[in-house]
Amino acid sequence: MHVGNARYLSPKDLPGILPVFPLTGALLLPGAQLPLNIFEPRYLAMFDDALSGDRLIGIVQPSFAEGRSDIDSSPVPALCQVGCIGRITSFAETGDGRYITSLTGVCRYRLFAEISGVRGYRRFRIGPFAADLEGPDDEALVDREALLAAFRAYLDANKLEADWESVERASNRTLVNSMAMMSPYGPAEKQALLEAPDLRTRAETLIAITEIVLARNFGDLDNILQ
């Protein structure tokens, strides 16, 4: 995986302990970009430390488990167990104390033990998903026609437009990951897209979620998809 000015060829190229940025509804995928507006002091400190080090930060969602009194009452919020490592590939100061940054996804990771935090932010031991670094050539397995049909149906149902020339030029990997990250779905759906084991499964999950939303909100799915 080549990200910015760095190459990550195996888990040995990644740190064993990672600062994590909990962000509800955020989805970062390997090779994709996530823009961020940083203003909270502890996360400004996190980005300062990352910029002076390996430029790597873990994006992860807070746990969205319902009915868990231990989560609701805990002073330290529980987190989802899978997130994505991002490398800071662009950075700007605003002049009013904020940072405008962009992370590029490196690979997914699993959270293990939490390590004592520094400067207010949280750190964890992690286990990277080595397969994400290998760049498997699985784009041909994606049902592009079904994916575009679901995308077109969603746009038509919501009276939205798309730049179809750009869509047609995009690779299957770019198309699937961009659509997954830009999708207006909730935290649980975003987590399901993140945890999909491969590109084909992610595309199928995205199609299934889109069809469920269309059927729930607009009724006759067969007519919508025609």
Side-chain angles (χ1 to χ4, degrees):
M1 175 68 74
H2 187 187
V3 179
N5 293 330
R7 288 185 180 275
Y8 304 97
L9 303 179
S10 77
K12 294 179 181 178
D13 298 323
L14 296 167
I17 297 175
L18 191 71
V20 300
F21 187 1
L23 199 56
T24 300
L27 176 61
L28 177 62
L29 293 168
Q33 293 192 326
L34 178 67
L36 294 171
N37 178 13
I38 310 300
F39 55 87
E40 193 173 339
R42 57 180 166 170
Y43 297 125
L44 292 170
M46 173 192 289
F47 274 77
D48 282 339
D49 291 346
L51 285 166
S52 65
D54 55 22
R55 298 196 173 204
L56 297 176
I57 286 172
I59 295 296
V60 67
Q61 289 201 92
S63 176
F64 41 80
E66 297 180 357
R68 289 277 304 279
S69 59
D70 57 327
I71 290 176
D72 297 338
S73 61
S74 173
V76 181
L79 304 175
C80 291
Q81 292 301 296
V82 176
C84 186
I85 300 173
R87 178 179 171 88
I88 301 172
T89 48
S90 70
F91 170 82
E93 296 179 307
T94 63
D96 61 0
R98 294 178 295 121
Y99 292 159
I100 303 298
T101 74
S102 181
L103 299 182
T104 301
V106 176
C107 74
R108 293 170 296 169
Y109 66 89
R110 188 172 299 278
L111 288 177
F112 293 138
E114 184 163 6
I115 306 301
S116 296
V118 294
R119 302 223 283 169
Y121 59 82
R122 301 173 71 181
R123 302 183 303 159
F124 285 80
R125 294 194 184 277
I126 63 159
F129 284 33
D132 288 350
L133 302 173
E134 298 169 0
D137 186 15
D138 57 355
E139 292 194 41
L141 300 177
V142 172
D143 188 342
R144 187 182 181 97
E145 183 177 345
L147 182 66
L148 290 178
F151 182 45
R152 187 177 290 106
Y154 183 89
L155 293 177
D156 291 345
N158 289 278
K159 297 180 172 56
L160 300 172
E161 298 290 337
D163 180 355
W164 285 104
E165 288 187 9
S166 297
V167 170
E168 292 295 340
R169 289 196 302 268
S171 68
N172 282 349
R173 184 171 302 279
T174 298
L175 190 63
V176 172
N177 288 346
S178 297
M179 289 173 60
M181 289 181 62
M182 293 186 297
S183 65
Y185 305 134
E189 290 79 8
K190 290 292 182 77
Q191 193 67 24
L193 292 167
L194 174 67
E195 295 186 19
D198 50 47
L199 191 68
R200 177 182 180 179
T201 307
R202 183 171 298 128
E204 292 172 348
T205 302
L206 184 58
I207 292 168
I209 293 171
T210 301
E211 290 179 350
I212 290 170
V213 169
L214 288 172
R216 183 176 62 218
N217 294 343
F218 299 99
D220 192 346
L221 182 61
D222 290 337
N223 286 336
I224 292 172
L225 290 175
Q226 289 177 359

